[in-house]
Amino acid sequence: MKISEIATVLEAEILCGEEHLERKIISACGSDMMSDVLAFVKQDAILLTGLVNPQVIRTAEMMDIMTIAFVRGKKCGEDIIELAKERGMVLIRSPLTMYTACGRLYASGLRGEDHGT
Amino acid sequence: MAHSEQSMKVSYTVLPDDFMRAGEASGALKKLLKELGFPSDTVRRCAIATYEGEMNMVIHAQGGVVEAIITPDTIELELRDTGPGISDIELAMTEGYSTASDAVRDIGFGAGMGLPNIQKYSDRMSLTSEVGVGTTLRMTIRSG
Ligand SMILES: Nc1ncnc2c1ncn2[C@@H]1O[C@H](COP(=O)(O)OP(=O)(O)O)[C@@H](O)[C@H]1O
Ligand SMILES: [Mg+2]
C-alpha cells in the first residue's frame, strides 16, 4: 500500500514528508511500548502509535521504519517534526483511535509481521 | 575496511536526563556503520542493541559513554556509566522486570524488555555492575 492510500484510509493529515507519499508500505505495527517495537524487525513498515515524543522517532530510526502515524489526533511539536524531516521520514496524524486505525489498515489488506504472507 | 587488520575506535558521550537527545549516540553509530558498508541487518542489530543500552544509561543512570571498536567482521560495543549499579543482574535480565518510573513508561520505555532485546540482537553480551559504582554493558555483533 502506498503511504498516500494509507493516509486516506486513516483520514490522516500529512505532518512532513509530502515528497515521499508514493513509498510502498508492506507491513504495520501498532504500539505505545517502544521496546515492543524494537523487539521485532519489520520490512517497509509503518508504525502506528499514540505516543508523541522524540523517542518514537529514534525508535523508528533504529528499526529503519520511515513512516509513522500518530493516532487519536495527538499534537506533534516542531522539534519532533524536525527530527523526522532530518531522517527523511513521513509523519501523518489520524483522528482515529489505535484500534480503529489498525482495523482499517488490516481490512485494507495491510498485514502485521506475525501474519505470514 | 577491506583488510581484516583494520580496526577503528569511536566513542560517544551520552548526556543525563536529556530525552530530546537520547538516541543520538546510537543514531550516529548507525550512520557510521552504514557508511562503512556493513549489511543492513548488522547495522540494525547494532543500532537497536546500542539504543536500548543508551536509553538505560539515560533512564537508570546519569548518562555515560558508548565506545565501539569496529573491524570488518565484528563490532565490539562497550557502554559504561557511573550510575547506581544493578544489585541483581539475573533479575534485571528477566523479561518484564523494570524499576522504571511512570514518567519513563509514559514515553514508551520501562517494559523491562531492553536487556532481553540486547541479548536477542547481539551475538554475545555481558553485563557487569557494582552498586554505587556503575554498570558496564559489553556486546559483540558479528557481521554477515
Ligand atoms: N545502566 C543501568 N544502570 C542501572 N540500572 C540499570 C541499568 N540498565 C538496566 N538497569 C536495571 O535493569 C532493569 C531492566 O532493564 P531493561 O531490561 O532495559 O528494562 P527497562 O529499561 O524497561 O526497565 C531496569 O529497570 C533497571 O532496574
Ligand atoms: Mg531499558
Side-chain angles (χ1 to χ4, degrees):
Chain A
M1 237 178 143
K2 285 182 189 169
I3 299 174
S4 54
E5 296 167 320
I6 290 177
T8 304
V9 169
L10 297 183
E11 301 171 31
E13 66 177 292
I14 314 300
L15 301 176
C16 73
E18 287 85 356
E19 64 276 32
H20 305 304
L21 299 185
E22 296 299 293
R23 278 189 199 149
K24 279 267 199 180
I25 299 292
I26 59 168
S27 70
C29 129
S31 182
D32 290 350
M33 290 311 302
M34 292 304 112
S35 285
D36 284 349
V37 179
L38 291 162
F40 298 100
V41 171
K42 307 114 193 127
Q43 289 304 326
D44 300 317
I46 181 171
L47 167 64
L48 293 95
T49 184
L51 279 188
V52 184
N53 65 49
Q55 262 57 59
V56 174
I57 310 295
R58 304 279 188 193
T59 297
E61 174 186 9
M62 304 312 154
M63 300 301 287
D64 297 313
I65 292 175
M66 299 297 284
T67 313
I68 302 170
F70 296 121
V71 296
R72 275 182 279 126
K74 288 282 178 67
K75 280 258 179 307
C76 179
E78 270 310 312
D79 47 352
I80 292 171
I81 293 178
E82 208 42 53
L83 271 184
K85 272 189 191 161
E86 284 167 11
R87 289 157 180 76
M89 292 178 181
V90 180
L91 296 185
I92 65 176
R93 173 169 56 202
S94 167
L96 305 176
T97 62
M98 177 74 104
Y99 181 78
T100 306
C102 292
R104 283 206 192 167
L105 287 184
Y106 195 90
S108 304
L110 194 63
R111 299 295 189 242
E113 272 307 278
D114 51 0
H115 184 270
T117 30
Chain B
M1 299 236 100
H3 305 290
S4 56
E5 314 84 59
Q6 274 184 296
S7 111
M8 176 178 179
K9 186 171 169 176
V10 287
S11 82
Y12 307 93
T13 304
V14 177
L15 300 172
D17 298 317
D18 192 338
F19 286 98
M20 190 64 210
R21 297 182 62 183
E24 253 182 19
S26 309
L29 178 67
K30 180 173 199 257
K31 189 160 170 281
L32 173 66
L33 294 175
K34 205 166 157 184
E35 282 164 6
L36 290 173
F38 282 98
S40 59
D41 168 69
T42 305
V43 175
R44 189 162 45 217
R45 286 194 295 127
C46 235
I48 298 169
T50 309
Y51 181 53
E52 287 280 17
E54 182 178 359
M55 288 310 293
N56 279 353
M57 291 199 293
V58 176
I59 294 167
H60 305 294
Q62 290 83 47
V65 179
V66 174
E67 258 175 28
I69 297 172
I70 304 165
T71 64
D73 45 34
T74 52
I75 299 126
E76 303 272 0
L77 292 152
E78 187 170 296
L79 279 68
R80 286 189 310 269
D81 68 63
T82 52
I86 304 170
S87 56
D88 188 338
I89 301 244
E90 204 181 319
L91 183 62
M93 291 290 305
T94 309
E95 281 189 15
Y97 175 81
S98 175
T99 59
S101 64
D102 287 346
V104 166
R105 272 171 234 276
D106 287 345
I107 63 157
F109 281 84
M113 291 303 295
L115 292 172
N117 272 351
I118 290 168
Q119 183 151 50
K120 172 176 167 180
Y121 286 110
S122 61
D123 293 297
R124 216 163 48 85
M125 85 172 267
S126 83
L127 186 61
T128 52
S129 188
E130 199 178 326
V131 174
V133 177
T135 301
T136 300
L137 170 67
R138 292 191 185 85
M139 329 180 248
T140 305
I141 283 141
R142 279 189 273 279
S143 181

